[in-house]
Amino acid sequence: MPNLRVNGERLWATIMETAKMGATARGGICRLTLTDADRQVRNWFVRECQAAGSAVTVDEMGNIFARRPGKDSSLPPIAIGSHLDTQPTGGKFDGVYGVLSGLEILRTLNDADYTTSAPLEVVSWTNEEGSRFTPPMLASGVFAGVFERDFAYALEDRGGRKFGEELGRIGYRGRVKCGDHKLGAYFELHIEQGPVLETENQTIGVVTGVQSQSWYEVTVTGRESHAGSTPMHLRQDAMVVCARIVEATHQVALNHAPLAVSTVGLVEVRPNSRNVIPGSVFFTVDLRHPDDAVLRRMEEEFKVVVNGVAADMGIKVAVVNNWSSPSVKFDEDCLGAVRAAAGDLGYRHRDIVSGAGHDAVYIARVAPTAMIFVPCEHGISHNEEEKAEPEHVTAGANALLGAVIVHDNALRDGA
Ligand code: HGY
Ligand code: MN
Ligand code: MN
């Protein structure tokens, strides 16, 4: 295997450079999809990829592909990438690390004047997070044929703005049909966003798959009335119903410990006034488990909880399962390439299942796919304090480059 290594300092500098785009006062990033900050980082990324000699195309979902020719243009490209959008209080590494490692690989191969057999494509997928527009992994989902483009275009954020209009507003509603070209393989590098690798002092996580998840939207309809003059027995307090469902949903995960998780992350109270009994509460529920059958049991228990509380309180509760994603197993050959690369590089590594969702979940439906993790400090992510060590950041990019070369050599040798 050629002795190719990324320039870790250059990679780190690009991560810190992009961290200024949508920077928050507390050292994090707020770069919600299709906002001006997202446009800013996209423009930067396109310029840098073009400066690295790549041909850049943008598809109708705003996915960005930076293509580096290979010796054999008849081969489908090996794709490497992730996402540039963040959570409202996101960190410097979630998503962007995988995209910038792709850019660093383009630069490293240019420096080494090394040409792969297959073309390479560095990809940035639109709206992985699903924070502003739900469902998540939206544009990789359209690419994989999971969602229709027009379904995505019609999605509205909580302020009523439409995805398709916002995509056009930032200038990234490309003409190329989404999903129109085949990928030979897809590798995604990401921070773990959990505590396992750091706890075990591992450098690389060979991500064998992603757990199953289901999202719900709950609307409780009570009755607004005066906080002071309404006796307790006459109240239809939507907030109390919400609170009891939140507590019971937390218990559903504890019932399936240690692997089950449940989260209520978004709550909207109306009218949201100190001295008005809430008439309506909208909130979201995120349930996950590595085993699809256990997740289904958790979902059944959750629905029993909701119906029970609604009946007890005599208050209407509407529940919508707005998105589900079954567990995913990644491709054994791609995983073998990751293990071979990590082994050649002498990095401690172990197999791991991802607790977080990633674009690789949907791309795995249309191309052989694997992921690579590196540790992050205390496993903290979706948090402005998200941190990764420079040597892990470099190691992950080297492992990604190594896996691409192993896979490319196998293509060349007709394996
Ligand atoms: O929610 C997730 O798992 C991912 O970070 N979008
Ligand atoms: Mn991510
Ligand atoms: Mn994320």
Side-chain angles (χ1 to χ4, degrees):
M1 182 140 97
N3 193 23
L4 292 168
R5 296 288 184 275
V6 299
N7 178 328
E9 277 164 36
R10 181 172 58 190
L11 171 56
W12 187 265
T14 56
I15 293 171
M16 294 307 127
E17 176 69 21
T18 53
K20 295 174 194 160
M21 303 172 198
T24 63
R26 294 174 58 201
I29 303 181
C30 177
R31 208 163 52 216
L32 289 173
T33 197
L34 309 188
T35 58
D36 292 346
D38 186 18
R39 169 171 46 197
Q40 185 187 3
V41 75
R42 285 167 172 264
N43 292 346
W44 176 92
F45 175 62
V46 166
R47 280 195 309 274
E48 294 298 326
C49 289
Q50 287 170 335
S54 297
V56 175
T57 51
V58 178
D59 73 15
E60 58 191 350
M61 283 297 295
N63 297 317
I64 302 169
F65 300 86
R67 186 181 178 95
R68 184 175 195 270
K71 288 175 190 149
D72 180 352
S73 57
S74 70
L75 288 171
I78 299 172
I80 45 183
S82 192
H83 60 95
L84 293 171
D85 63 311
T86 74
Q87 288 287 336
T89 52
K92 295 185 176 69
F93 300 91
D94 177 0
V96 66
Y97 168 46
V99 176
L100 298 184
S101 293
L103 170 61
E104 174 53 33
I105 285 172
L106 296 180
R107 290 169 166 172
T108 298
L109 294 177
N110 289 345
D111 294 346
D113 194 18
Y114 182 96
T115 303
T116 49
S117 303
L120 291 188
E121 285 193 352
V122 179
V123 190
S124 162
W125 303 107
T126 301
N127 191 43
E128 185 280 340
E129 292 291 357
S131 174
R132 181 183 178 196
F133 294 99
T134 294
M137 300 126 60
L138 181 67
S140 50
V142 172
F143 187 89
V146 176
F147 305 116
E148 292 298 323
R149 181 203 66 182
D150 291 344
F151 160 78
Y153 278 13
L155 290 173
E156 293 186 3
D157 64 13
R158 296 302 291 171
R161 283 175 298 260
K162 284 192 178 3
F163 180 95
E165 289 165 11
E166 286 293 280
L167 188 63
R169 185 185 69 80
I170 67 164
Y172 276 87
R173 187 161 157 166
R175 294 187 199 293
V176 174
K177 182 157 176 37
C178 183
D180 77 331
H181 70 297
K182 193 172 161 7
L183 302 179
Y186 176 66
F187 292 92
E188 181 165 355
L189 172 60
H190 207 287
I191 53 170
E192 179 199 339
Q193 302 178 293
V196 173
L197 297 180
E198 183 186 57
T199 307
E200 293 184 7
N201 192 28
Q202 301 279 359
T203 303
I204 295 291
V206 182
V207 187
T208 56
V210 178
Q211 70 175 343
S212 181
Q213 54 180 317
S214 250
W215 285 12
Y216 287 83
E217 294 183 339
V218 184
T219 305
V220 182
T221 308
R223 185 179 59 205
E224 296 168 18
S225 55
H226 197 292
S229 50
T230 309
M232 294 306 279
H233 70 284
L234 293 180
R235 293 179 176 216
Q236 294 186 31
D237 188 332
M239 180 51 97
V240 174
V241 170
C242 169
R244 289 186 181 171
I245 292 173
V246 170
E247 171 59 32
T249 305
H250 181 77
Q251 188 57 45
V252 164
L254 298 179
N255 296 345
H256 296 275
L259 297 178
V261 289
S262 71
T263 309
V264 174
L266 186 157
V267 180
E268 290 175 354
V269 184
R270 288 192 174 82
N272 213 27
S273 170
R274 298 162 199 274
N275 46 0
V276 178
I277 298 166
S280 157
V281 176
F282 169 88
F283 62 97
T284 60
V285 174
D286 175 328
L287 301 172
R288 308 194 196 193
H289 194 282
D291 181 326
D292 297 76
V294 175
L295 181 66
R296 277 195 293 279
R297 284 204 294 278
M298 289 168 64
E299 293 183 84
E300 288 316 308
E301 289 171 30
F302 164 67
K303 289 173 202 163
V304 167
V305 156
V306 170
N307 295 333
V309 172
D312 278 357
M313 305 279 297
I315 289 183
K316 185 167 163 286
V317 182
V319 181
V320 174
N321 176 201
N322 60 305
W323 176 68
S324 289
S325 170
S327 62
V328 169
K329 295 235 179 307
F330 290 138
D331 175 82
E332 279 308 324
D333 289 342
C334 290
L335 291 169
V338 173
R339 289 191 190 98
D344 284 349
L345 289 158
Y347 296 146
R348 279 174 52 81
H349 59 282
R350 61 99 93 191
D351 286 7
I352 188 170
V353 172
S354 176
H358 301 282
D359 292 304
V361 163
Y362 283 148
I363 302 306
R365 297 191 186 195
V366 292
T369 294
M371 288 190 72
I372 301 170
F373 277 171
V374 294
C376 56
E377 193 173 270
H378 309 319
I380 296 290
S381 180
H382 286 189
N383 183 312
E384 292 164 302
E385 294 176 13
E386 182 183 272
K387 238 191 224 142
E389 291 303 321
E391 67 267 21
H392 288 151
V393 162
T394 302
N398 278 328
L400 177 66
L401 173 55
V404 165
I405 299 297
V406 167
H407 186 84
D408 187 57
N409 289 345
L411 289 176
R412 178 199 60 199
D413 304 343

